[in-house]
Amino acid sequence: MRAPYVAEMVRQVLERKYGKNIYTQGWTVTTTIDAHLQKVARQALESGLLDFSRRHGYVGAIENWGEWSDENAALWRTRLKAISKHNLIVPAAVISVDPTRAMFLLADGRHVAVSWNHLKWARLRIPLIGGGDSTQDVSLGAWPKKPSDVVKTGDVVWLQHQSSEWILAQVPRVQGALVSVNPQTGGVIALSGGYDYSLSKFNRAAQSERQPGSSFKPFIYSAALAKGFTLASVINDAPVVLQDSGENQLWRPRNDTLKFYGPTRLRVGLEKSRNLVSVRLLRDITIPYAVDYLRRFGFGDINLPHSLSLALGSVSLSPLKLASGYAGFANGGFKVETHLIKKIVNQKGTVVFKDEF
């Protein structure tokens, strides 16, 4: 099972708890990870990032090795072996291009074909002058019309094997994370902190903090229900201008549709993710009450913003922390602590630690 981000998290937990002795005592650690779900989660994340990368343009070949001939086949294979693979994609060199496909050499010596259908997505990614590396700072070139518009002989590129076919690919510049938690036990059953651990060891599932946005609204609605509101309570979905919202300026929140819907029941406000309903609801239950209530979900060690923007998810949370909060809903309102270690056994077969679940 490939789970390097999980392995590093376990190592850090063990070192904090038991010190440097963990490296010499020969312990066997059993995690809460489900091997099948971990594989599915990792593949889903990697495939999603590759698809996103394709939609936002082709960055071009890694380098070009010149003209292909049988005499330099061994040299090219050696060079390809020196390039590290990245999960679902492998390096390949173009050996010929014709009007319907391109032929590639792989590190193991195989010659594989990539049809025009799997090349034509590659509109050139063109960075804007003075821009950064985000999707907003680039433009896309014209659609290619033939394989030679995308690759030429000697180009070193990335290929992905999918459904018995080879597809032109590239290492994603965007990153992502995925975490899944058993709500009854708190055990993490699948976790991936990025596209490839060898490229970036930063664990975005546990270490990165981002604003969850509307996915934070159920916690606000839960606080309202605890204070006496019901699913049938009515909140007015109407324009509002707030002068003292904690933002130190006028704030005009609006719905994603740019429309207003008038009196709205709480159940509809949550279902439709109405921003103005959420803001007015937080104002009605008061910010101090909501902040105190949110700490019950395990957000006590987080600097929760004391402003009405909290209703729209302006707090910074890691995916793991957010999943832990949601586990409380799925567990019938009982909070659970997320964890990765199920059991530790020493060299003599003695159980050093065992999770109570």
Side-chain angles (χ1 to χ4, degrees), residues 36-306:
H36 171 68
L37 295 180
Q38 174 67 21
K39 179 181 179 181
V40 171
R42 178 176 51 78
Q43 291 177 341
L45 177 62
E46 292 170 5
S47 296
L49 293 175
L50 287 172
D51 290 343
F52 181 94
S53 179
R54 279 193 286 267
R55 292 196 299 269
H56 290 84
Y58 182 51
V59 297
I62 304 171
E63 54 185 324
N64 186 279
W65 292 343
E67 291 300 317
W68 158 258
S69 67
D70 291 336
E71 287 73 23
N72 58 25
L75 175 61
W76 281 26
R77 287 200 302 271
T78 301
R79 287 181 175 181
L80 288 171
K81 289 177 182 178
I83 301 175
S84 300
K85 295 188 294 184
H86 296 298
N87 299 339
L88 300 178
I89 61 176
V90 296
V94 181
I95 58 178
S96 67
V97 182
D98 62 41
T100 61
R101 65 179 186 175
M103 294 296 299
F104 294 82
L105 173 70
L106 301 182
D108 59 9
R110 284 183 295 162
H111 292 189
V112 299
V114 176
S115 69
W116 169 236
N117 282 339
H118 297 314
L119 292 167
K120 63 183 180 182
W121 66 265
R123 298 174 67 186
L124 190 62
R125 180 185 176 99
I126 305 172
L128 299 178
I129 297 176
D133 195 38
S134 70
T135 56
Q136 288 79 26
D137 295 327
V138 300
S139 62
L140 298 181
W143 287 103
K145 297 180 180 178
K146 55 186 183 298
S148 59
D149 291 338
V150 180
V151 294
K152 60 181 180 294
T153 302
D155 278 353
V156 182
V157 299
W158 298 99
L159 298 184
Q160 177 187 1
H161 192 247
Q162 187 178 72
S163 301
S164 74
E165 294 184 293
W166 289 93
I167 301 171
L168 179 67
Q170 60 190 356
V171 177
R173 296 189 176 189
V174 68
Q175 285 285 358
L178 188 152
V179 59
S180 181
V181 175
N182 183 324
Q184 279 72 49
T185 66
V188 178
I189 54 179
L191 183 145
S192 183
Y195 174 71
D196 188 340
Y197 187 77
S198 66
L199 289 174
S200 172
K201 294 176 174 57
F202 181 68
N203 188 341
R204 292 155 190 85
Q207 295 176 300
S208 68
E209 293 187 348
R210 295 292 184 269
Q211 294 183 348
S214 292
S215 62
F216 195 73
K217 289 176 182 176
F219 299 108
I220 302 298
Y221 280 76
S222 175
L225 294 175
K227 199 168 184 180
F229 284 77
T230 72
L231 296 178
S233 297
V234 175
I235 302 292
N236 193 18
D237 185 350
V240 61
V241 177
L242 303 167
Q243 291 183 323
D244 188 18
S245 64
E247 308 295 324
N248 298 317
Q249 60 184 352
L250 291 178
W251 185 45
R252 297 177 175 85
R254 58 187 184 180
N255 293 318
D256 183 61
T257 61
L258 305 182
K259 298 179 181 179
F260 307 101
Y261 300 91
T264 304
R265 290 188 175 91
L266 249 63
R267 63 189 305 164
V268 176
L270 179 59
E271 175 193 351
K272 303 295 184 182
S273 190
R274 300 274 167 77
N275 288 341
L276 290 170
V277 173
S278 301
V279 170
R280 289 176 182 270
L281 184 62
L282 178 56
R283 185 174 62 177
D284 289 346
I285 65 175
T286 73
I287 294 173
Y289 173 84
V291 169
D292 180 67
Y293 185 86
L294 290 172
R295 299 191 191 283
R296 305 181 192 181
F297 288 93
F299 303 144
D301 57 344
I302 296 168
N303 186 21
L304 295 168
H306 287 245

Side-chain angles (χ1 to χ4, degrees), residues 1 3 6-7 10 28-35 188 339-343:
M1 181 182 69
V6 173
V10 170
T28 299
V29 181
T30 303
T31 72
T32 59
I33 296 293
D34 181 300
V188 178
H339 59 281
L340 273 168
I341 299 175
K342 182 181 293 185
K343 186 172 66 173

